[in-house]
Amino acid sequence: MGMKIGIALGAGSARGWAHIGVLRALDGAGIRPKIVCGASIGALVGAVYADDGLEALEKWVTGLTWRSVVSFFDISFNGGFIKGAKLTRFLQENFLEKEIAELPRTYAAVATDFQSGREVWLREGQVVEAVRASIALPGLFTPVERDGRLLVDGALVNPVPVSLCRAMGADFVIAVDLGSAIVGRYVKKLDGEKRRKRLPSMVEVVAGSINIMQVQVSRSRLAGEPADVVITPHLGHLGMLDYHRAGEAIAEGVETTAAMIPQIRRLMEDQA
C-alpha cells in the first residue's frame, strides 16, 4: 500500500503562487502527494496540480503583468468588488474543465458557509465551482451559491486545511503556510514619514485585516490539528494583489522546500 502523502495548500492571495515552487521542489525530490487539499489560492493551485497541469499554470502565471491581472476584474458593487465570471471562465477553459471525481489525484477544497459560519468541504462536482467558492475573498469576490448555501473563502475558517487532508485518508501531511512574515507588513510600510502622508487604502485595510485573521486562525488550527511538516515560504514583501510577481513567489517556494527535503525524508522514514 505505502504511505499516503497529503498536502494542505494554504490561503494567501498572490503569495499562493509559491505553492507552484513548493510542489515542483517536492516532485523533484520524488515526494508526490496523492491527496491534495487547499483553501483559497491553495485550492486553485492544488486543483491544477491534482490534474497534472502545474507546468502550464506556471507558464501562465509567470507571464502575468499587472495589466493582464486587472483585465480579469469584472467590477461589481453587489456582494463583492469582483464578480469573478471572467476569471472563472478563463480557468475553466484552460485549467479546470474536469469533475473532481475525474482528477488523477484525490482533491478537496474548503469554503465557508456565509450564513452559519461553518466550514464546508467541497469534494465532488465541477472543479471550477469548488475553486471559485474557495477563493471568494470577502469584499473582493462575490459569494457563490451552491446547494442552497452562500459560500465564501475557506480561509475564514481553515486557512491551511490539514484536517481535511487527514479526513481524506492522508497518513503523512505536508502543510504549506503562507502566513509567516505578513502581520505588521502594512504598519511597517507606513511607518515614519509615509504614515504622516497617507492612510492605507481600502484594499490595504481589508488585506491587512484578513491577513491578521488568517494568521491567528492558522496558528490555532495547526496547534490543534498539527501537520507532520509545515513549509513556510517568507513572502511578507508581496501584496495581496501582486499576482504579476509570480516569479519571486515560485522561487521562494522552491528554495524554502529544497532546504526542508532532508527533514521531510527523515520524518517520512520515521513514520514508515
Side-chain angles (χ1 to χ4, degrees), residues 232-250:
T232 54
H234 284 258
L235 293 161
H237 60 288
L238 285 191
M240 175 181 167
L241 297 177
D242 284 345
Y243 290 101
H244 57 296
R245 293 172 68 182
E248 296 169 58
I250 293 169

Side-chain angles (χ1 to χ4, degrees), residues 93-154:
E93 286 169 4
N94 292 274
F95 301 109
L96 308 175
E97 73 278 49
K98 291 186 178 170
E99 296 274 315
I100 291 173
E102 295 176 293
L103 295 172
R105 290 177 173 84
T106 302
Y107 171 79
V110 63
T112 305
D113 183 322
F114 185 65
Q115 275 100 343
S116 69
R118 287 200 185 102
E119 191 172 331
V120 178
W121 291 351
L122 304 169
R123 297 184 276 189
E124 53 190 27
Q126 281 194 303
V127 175
V128 72
E129 285 181 7
V131 169
R132 175 63 183 84
S134 192
I135 64 170
L137 192 70
L140 192 65
F141 279 103
T142 54
V144 172
E145 250 188 282
R146 178 168 161 150
D147 302 329
R149 290 187 290 201
L150 208 55
L151 301 180
V152 293
D153 199 322

Side-chain angles (χ1 to χ4, degrees), residues 174-189:
I174 299 166
V176 187
D177 181 6
L178 302 174
S180 59
I182 58 168
V183 170
R185 170 188 178 284
Y186 294 94
V187 176
K188 281 175 198 158
K189 198 169 134 187

Side-chain angles (χ1 to χ4, degrees), residues 61-123:
V61 302
T62 49
L64 284 173
T65 60
W66 175 243
R67 184 169 288 189
S68 60
V69 171
V70 172
S71 74
F72 284 109
F73 293 3
D74 39 10
I75 305 299
S76 158
F77 295 102
N78 186 19
F81 182 59
I82 300 164
K83 277 188 298 208
K86 268 190 198 174
L87 180 63
T88 304
R89 194 163 54 245
F90 176 84
L91 291 172
Q92 185 163 21
E93 286 169 4
N94 292 274
F95 301 109
L96 308 175
E97 73 278 49
K98 291 186 178 170
E99 296 274 315
I100 291 173
E102 295 176 293
L103 295 172
R105 290 177 173 84
T106 302
Y107 171 79
V110 63
T112 305
D113 183 322
F114 185 65
Q115 275 100 343
S116 69
R118 287 200 185 102
E119 191 172 331
V120 178
W121 291 351
L122 304 169
R123 297 184 276 189

